[in-house]
Amino acid sequence: MTTDMCPCGSGRGLASCCGPLLSGVASATTAEALMRSRYSAYVTLNISYLKETLWPKNRFAFDEMATAQWARESHWTGLSVLEVHRGSETDREGTVLFEAKSLSGGRLTTHRELSRFRKKAGRWYYVEAIRE
């Protein structure tokens, strides 16, 4: 990994933050960590990570090509975590409210989402957007 700052906004380097998760060396220990790493996956165009961290029953509907195109056409400008409910190392479920900002087609957009995460066999997965 490089010494670049992690896109997730943690203030840490990519190599000591989301990098180990994106490369498969480590797994997210909390719902927030998974959400931050998924944002970083969009920024770094790691589409396979997005699919791998999606709740297994929801993977059939994942459109890799459309997701890759959207990620590639967006210039990601920042992530803000607004609220976290549960989702700790000892929880089985949790939610994260966040805003992801991007520049796409000359427009600055903010994607605000309350996401549901669930743990299965000790590993966190993104389940769904509860509301956008």
Side-chain angles (χ1 to χ4, degrees), residues 34-79:
L34 180 61
M35 190 281 310
R36 286 181 175 279
S37 68
R38 285 178 57 85
Y39 173 83
S40 294
Y42 279 103
V43 175
T44 61
L45 304 177
N46 190 338
I47 307 307
S48 62
Y49 181 79
L50 294 170
K51 186 173 184 178
E52 290 166 16
T53 58
L54 187 61
W55 186 249
K57 291 180 183 176
N58 297 341
R59 289 181 189 160
F60 71 94
F62 183 73
D63 187 337
E64 290 180 66
M65 293 189 63
T67 301
Q69 181 177 349
W70 182 57
R72 195 172 38 256
E73 292 174 355
S74 300
H75 174 72
W76 301 94
T77 61
L79 174 69

Side-chain angles (χ1 to χ4, degrees), residues 31 84-88 91-95 124:
V84 177
H85 183 258
R86 299 182 54 202
S88 72
D91 291 321
R92 293 192 65 217
E93 291 191 0
T95 60
W124 282 103

Side-chain angles (χ1 to χ4, degrees), residues 1 5-54 62 67 70-71 76 78-81 84 87 96 98-100 115 117-118 123-127:
M1 293 278 135
M5 295 303 288
C6 191
C8 82
S10 67
R12 297 177 13 216
L14 181 61
S16 64
C17 192
C18 293
L21 305 179
L22 296 172
S23 68
V25 171
S27 295
T29 57
T30 66
E32 180 181 351
L34 180 61
M35 190 281 310
R36 286 181 175 279
S37 68
R38 285 178 57 85
Y39 173 83
S40 294
Y42 279 103
V43 175
T44 61
L45 304 177
N46 190 338
I47 307 307
S48 62
Y49 181 79
L50 294 170
K51 186 173 184 178
E52 290 166 16
T53 58
L54 187 61
F62 183 73
T67 301
W70 182 57
W76 301 94
L79 174 69
S80 298
V81 174
V84 177
V96 178
F98 69 91
E99 289 182 345
S115 298
F117 296 86
R118 189 173 293 151
R123 188 167 180 181
W124 282 103
Y125 295 92
Y126 169 77
V127 179

